[in-house]
Amino acid sequence: MRLKGKNVLVVGLGRSGLAAVRFLLDRGARVAVTDQRREEEFGDWQREFDGEELEVHLGGHEPEIFDKRDLICLSPGVPLDLPGLKLAKRRKIPIIGEMGLGAEFLEAPFVAVTGTNGKSTTSTLIYQMLVAAGQKVALGGNIGTPLLDLILTGDRYERLVLEVSSYQLETVKEFRPEVAVLLNVTEDHLDRYESFQDYVRAKTRILKDQTGRDAVVYNAEDSHIAPYACRANAKRIPFALHRQPSEGLFYSHGRIVRRWKKEFEDYPLARTKLTGLHNVENMMASVGAARSVGVSPDQVQKVLELFEGLPHRMQLVGEYRGVRYYDDSKGTNVDSVCKSIAGFEDRQVILIAGGRDKGGSYRPLRDFVSKKVVRLLLIGEASAKIARELQGCTEIQEVGTLEAAVREAAQKVKRGQVVLLSPACASFDQFRSYAERGEKFREFVRKYAEAV
């Protein structure tokens, strides 16, 4: 794709949007930017582009800004129904996302990981396995460094590992991962998609351009994605928790077993630090991907045992007087919370949940809450909806803020129980991100748990 002299509009100035601006300017494009935030809501981001000719439109996406462009580059999360985008489509102006633009210029083969839950953990595990094998590799996409920034460095990698969201997959043109990893698809982002099936189709877009020389590692027990994977052109590598595929990966007696042609390997999990069956799935997917690109069994096992997990994903942030406090702020959808609760087989839970609603139902939580949760403390905009849908499952209290929830939990929790922040909601009603919410949780735990 030739960019020099092209008139390109970048929509959205988050990490991906700024990466697109840097890349486009470097390639000689004439760049305009638009963001719905006003100038006072930004930092001094323009200082980076001092001396560059940059057309800036802040405070909204006026439709006329989109007209008469050669290309429009979207940041993930920008609504696809913007009037300006509809105008651009009528004018037949090409529209592509930052990830899609990067794929046009990518020379190294790449592993792409998607799914509703577990993307970051799985991507990081695969990356660390490739590093352990001595490969020159980078981790980016939806985690870490935007793809265009990786390309802009000029470094030559043997392979990339990319975490890919449904938003990014919506706006790719040609996207062919050497290995595609499909972890799961559960209800999420229904505030953006017209139907759950639209969300499934966005996720499974990762398979469309693969050939028989590529591979797809997929959850054979996920009825939403398995049919797509079975029709894929790529070599299929299934994994399963509860059954044993004739070829692929499965879980048996505390071990991950890989059965492939005449190979038979097992990976004991007794010394691994990740907990919960959902992380067994993440580890199986990682093993399948890493082995398919030349990582040895010994190198895989070493990483499985050393990996300590990522922040805000079932992270133990403190233990006070026999009570453990877990930060699962990344648990932003119902399926993730179900799996987090289920991981506490021998402990009762005080659950802190709520935030900005994402459009799905909370009713799948009923069985898990009824069995394990002794008190449910609700925060944020979705409190009333969650309370209504989970009425009768346990004692429910709408407390408003995260600080009030931690204070209440610290006062009422009993020795041997767990206090778990796993919101099932986005953070944007009270926090800038799930990470900020998790850091505040840790701060409030220190403040109130130590004082009791």
Side-chain angles (χ1 to χ4, degrees):
M1 179 185 291
R2 180 178 172 81
L3 294 173
K4 188 173 183 179
K6 293 290 181 68
N7 181 359
V8 185
L9 176 66
V10 176
V11 186
L13 287 174
R15 287 189 310 116
S16 293
L18 291 173
V21 173
R22 285 188 285 269
F23 184 83
L24 290 163
L25 289 172
D26 181 76
R27 296 299 171 108
R30 292 183 289 122
V31 182
V33 300
T34 175
D35 194 286
Q36 63 182 357
R37 291 170 291 177
R38 297 182 298 275
E39 186 170 358
E40 57 269 24
E41 297 178 74
F42 282 94
D44 57 353
W45 67 275
Q46 292 191 64
R47 181 179 300 178
E48 177 184 351
F49 304 107
D50 283 350
E52 301 280 4
E53 290 188 15
L54 195 62
E55 178 188 333
V56 179
H57 303 272
L58 302 179
H61 302 300
E62 297 300 325
E64 58 268 21
I65 297 171
F66 292 73
D67 200 11
K68 298 180 181 178
R69 306 291 179 181
D70 298 315
L71 178 70
I72 293 174
C73 182
L74 292 185
S75 296
V78 172
L80 298 180
D81 59 356
L82 288 178
L85 291 176
K86 293 178 179 179
L87 172 66
K89 288 176 183 177
R90 289 197 299 272
R91 299 279 198 270
K92 297 185 178 180
I93 298 171
I95 299 170
I96 197 168
E98 179 266 335
M99 177 74 72
L101 183 61
E104 297 277 338
F105 293 89
L106 194 56
E107 297 179 358
F110 63 97
V111 178
V113 181
T114 197
T116 304
N117 299 310
K119 296 186 296 294
S120 296
T121 295
T122 304
S123 298
T124 306
L125 270 168
I126 295 169
Y127 165 74
Q128 292 190 5
M129 290 172 181
L130 296 178
V131 170
Q135 298 186 24
K136 186 174 182 184
V137 61
L139 174 65
N142 202 46
I143 183 175
T145 307
L147 177 56
L148 286 175
D149 276 345
L150 288 175
I151 297 171
L152 195 55
T153 65
D155 291 339
R156 294 193 173 274
Y157 298 102
E158 292 178 57
R159 190 167 275 111
L160 299 180
V161 180
L162 302 176
E163 178 188 321
V164 188
S165 72
S166 61
Y167 293 177
Q168 290 167 318
L169 287 167
E170 289 172 342
T171 52
V172 296
K173 300 299 182 187
E174 181 76 19
F175 191 76
R176 184 193 156 194
E178 176 189 26
V179 181
V181 180
L182 261 172
L183 294 168
N184 47 65
V185 181
T186 62
E187 280 197 359
D188 200 5
H189 301 303
L190 297 187
D191 51 344
R192 179 183 177 96
Y193 295 99
E194 290 188 8
S195 70
F196 177 62
Q197 195 56 42
D198 287 338
Y199 176 52
V200 174
R201 281 191 285 268
K203 285 291 190 187
T204 54
R205 169 64 182 84
I206 199 171
L207 306 173
K208 184 173 180 290
D209 299 319
Q210 287 191 294
T211 72
R213 297 191 299 275
D214 307 314
V216 52
V217 180
Y218 68 98
N219 188 339
E221 295 175 316
D222 189 312
S223 60
H224 302 298
I225 60 175
Y228 287 89
C230 289
R231 294 195 298 269
N233 295 320
K235 176 177 65 180
R236 295 182 288 276
I237 305 174
F239 64 88
L241 266 178
H242 304 293
R243 63 175 188 255
Q244 299 184 5
S246 57
E247 285 190 335
L249 300 105
F250 57 90
Y251 179 60
S252 177
H253 303 292
R255 295 168 178 265
I256 290 172
V257 180
R258 177 179 179 265
R259 182 162 51 195
W260 193 254
K261 302 188 186 303
K262 294 182 179 181
E263 298 175 359
F264 197 92
E265 306 160 0
D266 66 3
Y267 300 87
L269 303 182
R271 297 173 63 181
T272 60
K273 299 176 177 65
L274 294 180
T275 60
L277 289 176
H278 61 297
N279 274 321
V280 175
E281 291 180 329
N282 296 336
M283 288 187 281
M284 282 195 288
S286 304
V287 173
R291 290 290 289 121
S292 71
V293 292
V295 182
S296 74
D298 287 345
Q299 292 160 343
V300 166
Q301 182 68 44
K302 179 180 179 181
V303 172
L304 289 177
E305 293 180 3
L306 290 176
F307 186 68
E308 295 185 346
L310 299 177
H312 314 301
R313 296 158 175 86
M314 289 300 292
Q315 183 180 30
L316 179 63
V317 298
E319 183 168 356
Y320 302 89
R321 287 169 286 281
V323 176
R324 294 179 182 175
Y325 292 78
Y326 284 89
D327 167 16
D328 189 37
S329 184
K330 191 64 168 67
T332 58
N333 59 72
V334 168
D335 184 67
S336 175
V337 179
C338 290
K339 290 176 178 176
S340 296
I341 296 172
F344 296 106
E345 296 179 2
D346 58 347
R347 287 179 179 250
Q348 294 179 320
V349 176
I350 291 182
L351 175 64
I352 300 172
R356 176 156 292 171
D357 184 61
K358 299 170 78 175
S361 171
Y362 300 97
R363 292 187 182 279
L365 279 167
R366 291 187 65 89
D367 284 346
F368 294 88
V369 171
S370 296
K371 291 174 183 176
K372 300 297 302 179
V373 175
V374 294
R375 184 184 292 260
L376 175 58
L377 302 174
L378 296 175
I379 65 174
E381 294 174 356
S383 291
K385 179 180 177 182
I386 299 173
R388 184 171 62 252
E389 295 191 12
L390 301 185
Q391 184 178 5
C393 291
T394 190
E395 182 179 342
I396 299 175
Q397 187 175 353
E398 296 182 53
V399 294
T401 67
L402 180 58
E403 182 171 12
V406 175
R407 182 174 61 242
E408 179 71 14
Q411 291 172 352
K412 299 294 176 62
V413 69
K414 297 177 181 178
R415 178 179 290 273
Q417 293 179 339
V418 163
V419 176
L420 170 66
L421 168 66
S422 195
C425 293
S427 60
F428 306 121
D429 55 342
Q430 297 182 357
F431 303 97
R432 288 174 295 182
S433 65
Y434 76 84
E436 183 188 42
R437 178 170 58 190
E439 291 303 322
K440 286 294 183 181
F441 176 72
R442 180 191 292 265
E443 176 186 320
F444 297 145
V445 167
R446 284 197 300 263
K447 180 177 178 180
Y448 293 108
E450 289 181 352
V452 173

